[in-house]
Amino acid sequence: MFANIPETNQKRVVIVGAGFGGLALAQKLCKKDMQVVLIDKNNYHQFQPLFYQVAMAGLEPSSISFPLRKVFQNHSNAHIRITSVNAVDTNIKQLSTDIGVINYDYLVLAMGADTNYYGMENIQKNAMPMKSISEAIYLRNRVLQNFEEALSEPKREEQEGMMSVVVVGGGPTGVEISGTLAEMRKIILPKDYPELDFENMKIYLFQSSKGVLPSMSDQAADKGKDYLEDLGVELRIGERIVDFDGRYAVTNKGAKIRTNNVVWAAGIKSNKIEGLNETSYTRNGRLEVNEINQVASYDDIFAIGDIAQMTSDELPYGHPMVAQPAIQQGELLADNLHQLIKGEKTKPFKYKDLGSMATVGRHLAVVDLPFWRFQGTFAWYVWMVVHLFSILGVKNKVLIFINWVWNYVTYDQSLRLIIKPIMKFGKKNIFSSTQKTE
């Protein structure tokens, strides 16, 4: 069975993944004389840096999502297929998907990364990751549901376990979740749940390396640590969570923490596709690519973003697994594919580091630019402006701006909804309020 994509005289470029890199590539390619096929499991692009605001009830999921078909409405050479990719047959240049097979002239893998649990099955089963909008919604549901259930719990220890949160991973995501939770504990949640004593709500942040925000400057890391401690977050630096059964989180030092809520923001691993030579993968699971993002051992397969590892003397382990390398690689690859088709010279990729930033709370952020490092209120405004303008769609920008202004003026988001996804098949509920959704 074929996926019903029209045959043309144009070279067909199939892109797997509509994240930052895949979308940037597809947007630029569809302006050239090529047929572009974009494949993703979802019919929308997700703005991952703001997942935590959905999880913490600061933004609606629709505010940070944008329909893929709307992006390509005016490009007849762009074709979108919403499906999962199962394998690639490199001999006949064909992808196997849930909706049928798709042939390609050039294949670009931009599937990004998924949560890395480092082989800990209990944590994979019971902790809450945040690599998609659906996972962010699940996190919001579960945390809020635990507050509701705590109201009826007579035992203080059990109440504390329902209310307390352990965040694992001190990168930007972990820091942003911890800081937002701490502010909610102080200002918002006591108004929603006046019967609960929020002195019983503990917020822990575990980071196994030297400190929080390890990928940023020491100046940013020190300030981030100070901000979190001022907000009442209990930092556990140099410690790891090694087990979690849904009620107790266990550290590598043998300590047990009573909590129903473990947020796992500790690691990522590249997604894989069946059919590629194992020699194309590096030791850390990323695909080895050359200076034009061509996968090792293949002339017609490319990889960009988190899944790709392009090494150099400056970057022996490849580029950081964040948005900017993916976007820049996607934009350049569009030009290089056009050059390859014409038989002309390609241009090697050079990463331009635009800096990094993280917000810890209201008026609290840290920013590392290549030429300037700063923290505090001004950094918070810069963080907001950069993220606002990075969102796709005028409507999305307006919605986010309104939410942020309302939150700034009132400090009381109105999005604390427990949405229980229930899908029925006959008389059987496939999803209950306590099950994760994909």
Side-chain angles (χ1 to χ4, degrees):
M1 183 176 70
F2 286 83
N4 199 28
I5 297 170
E7 296 293 335
T8 69
N9 293 325
Q10 297 170 312
K11 291 291 185 181
R12 178 183 291 177
V13 181
V14 176
I15 305 165
V16 183
F20 289 111
L23 188 63
L25 171 63
Q27 284 180 292
K28 197 166 182 180
L29 271 184
C30 67
K31 298 174 184 176
K32 303 179 185 295
D33 184 23
M34 301 180 195
Q35 186 185 56
V36 180
V37 179
L38 180 60
I39 303 173
D40 198 276
K41 291 184 291 186
N42 302 302
N43 73 334
Y44 51 85
H45 169 74
Q46 310 176 83
F47 191 74
Q48 189 168 348
L50 294 181
F51 281 171
Y52 85 95
Q53 291 216 354
V54 173
M56 297 294 102
L59 291 174
E60 285 280 14
S62 58
S63 298
I64 65 166
S65 311
F66 198 80
L68 292 176
R69 296 193 179 279
K70 188 172 179 62
V71 179
F72 301 99
Q73 281 179 344
N74 300 319
H75 298 282
S76 60
N77 62 328
H79 303 272
I80 297 167
R81 293 295 182 267
I82 306 305
T83 186
S84 294
V85 174
N86 303 315
V88 57
D89 189 328
T90 60
N91 294 318
I92 58 174
K93 303 177 72 163
Q94 193 174 83
L95 283 178
S96 170
T97 78
D98 286 352
I99 60 171
V101 297
I102 298 175
N103 296 319
Y104 64 85
D105 293 303
Y106 295 95
L107 174 64
V108 182
L109 302 175
M111 299 106 67
D114 202 356
T115 304
N116 191 350
Y117 298 98
Y118 305 103
M120 293 180 284
E121 293 182 6
N122 276 349
I123 289 176
Q124 183 171 353
K125 178 182 177 182
N126 298 305
M128 295 175 283
M130 205 171 58
K131 288 291 185 291
S132 68
I133 286 177
S134 60
E135 289 176 342
I137 294 171
Y138 175 76
L139 196 160
R140 181 183 75 183
N141 286 352
R142 183 155 146 189
V143 170
L144 292 176
Q145 184 64 42
N146 276 324
F147 287 132
E148 298 294 338
E149 293 176 4
L151 291 168
S152 304
E153 176 54 58
K155 296 179 181 178
R156 176 169 175 167
E157 181 187 5
E158 291 301 305
Q159 257 196 3
E160 182 175 322
M162 292 174 179
M163 297 165 66
S164 297
V165 181
V166 170
V167 181
V168 184
T173 298
V175 166
E176 288 164 347
I177 290 175
S178 301
T180 305
L181 269 173
E183 290 194 324
M184 290 176 69
R185 175 182 61 182
K186 180 180 179 182
I187 300 170
I188 298 172
L189 293 173
K191 292 188 291 185
D192 279 0
Y193 303 96
E195 300 165 70
L196 295 177
D197 181 3
F198 281 89
E199 292 294 322
N200 294 335
M201 180 183 176
K202 311 297 182 186
I203 301 170
Y204 305 87
L205 178 59
F206 281 78
Q207 170 62 19
S208 60
S209 65
K210 61 178 182 177
V212 299
L213 301 173
S215 62
M216 298 185 71
S217 67
D218 290 342
Q219 185 179 344
D222 291 342
K223 272 294 182 183
K225 176 177 177 292
D226 292 343
Y227 291 153
L228 289 168
E229 289 178 336
D230 289 343
L231 288 168
V233 176
E234 186 173 329
L235 298 180
R236 297 288 187 91
I237 306 302
E239 286 188 72
R240 304 189 311 276
I241 295 295
V242 296
D243 197 9
F244 176 54
D245 63 3
R247 286 176 50 81
Y248 288 93
V250 182
T251 76
N252 61 318
K253 297 183 179 180
K256 295 178 72 174
I257 298 173
R258 177 68 186 92
T259 180
N260 288 16
N261 310 291
V262 170
V263 181
W264 192 260
I268 58 177
K269 61 179 180 181
S270 298
N271 286 313
K272 296 187 72 172
I273 185 171
E274 294 295 325
L276 295 182
N277 293 330
E278 285 300 318
T279 55
S280 298
Y281 289 94
T282 61
R283 290 179 62 183
N284 61 8
R286 300 171 80 178
L287 285 169
E288 182 183 349
V289 299
N290 63 14
E291 61 186 7
I292 63 168
N293 287 93
Q294 207 166 30
V295 174
S297 306
Y298 299 99
D299 295 328
D300 51 8
I301 301 178
F302 300 79
I304 58 175
D306 293 349
I307 199 173
Q309 181 160 312
M310 183 189 299
T311 58
S312 64
D313 292 338
E314 298 80 20
L315 297 164
Y317 301 105
H319 299 93
M321 297 169 80
V322 294
Q324 273 304 316
I327 294 170
Q328 293 176 31
Q329 287 175 354
E331 291 175 343
L332 180 62
L333 182 56
D335 293 332
N336 280 337
L337 284 170
H338 191 235
Q339 294 297 96
L340 284 171
I341 290 171
K342 294 191 299 181
E344 297 180 3
K345 188 176 180 181
T346 57
K347 182 179 179 181
F349 177 74
K350 295 292 183 184
Y351 175 49
K352 183 179 180 182
D353 186 359
L354 301 180
S356 55
M357 55 186 68
T359 179
V360 186
R362 185 182 172 100
H363 288 168
L364 302 174
V366 293
V367 174
D368 282 351
L369 299 179
F371 52 87
W372 189 19
R373 295 169 180 169
F374 53 100
Q375 304 85 35
T377 301
F378 180 63
W380 185 67
Y381 284 117
V382 169
W383 178 92
M384 286 199 300
V385 170
V386 168
H387 284 74
L388 189 64
F389 280 92
S390 299
I391 290 282
L392 287 177
V394 174
K395 179 182 177 182
N396 295 55
K397 288 180 172 65
V398 171
L399 288 172
I400 290 174
F401 180 72
I402 290 171
N403 269 287
W404 281 350
V405 169
W406 180 258
N407 183 36
Y408 181 81
V409 172
T410 68
Y411 213 107
D412 192 4
Q413 306 104 315
S414 58
L415 304 174
R416 295 184 296 281
L417 311 175
I418 301 173
I419 300 173
K420 301 178 181 181
I422 300 176
M423 297 176 61
K424 293 185 177 180
F425 185 79
K427 295 183 178 179
K428 181 181 178 181
N429 286 348
I430 298 188
F431 291 124
S432 71
S433 62
T434 58
Q435 290 177 309
K436 295 186 182 181
T437 61
E438 292 292 338

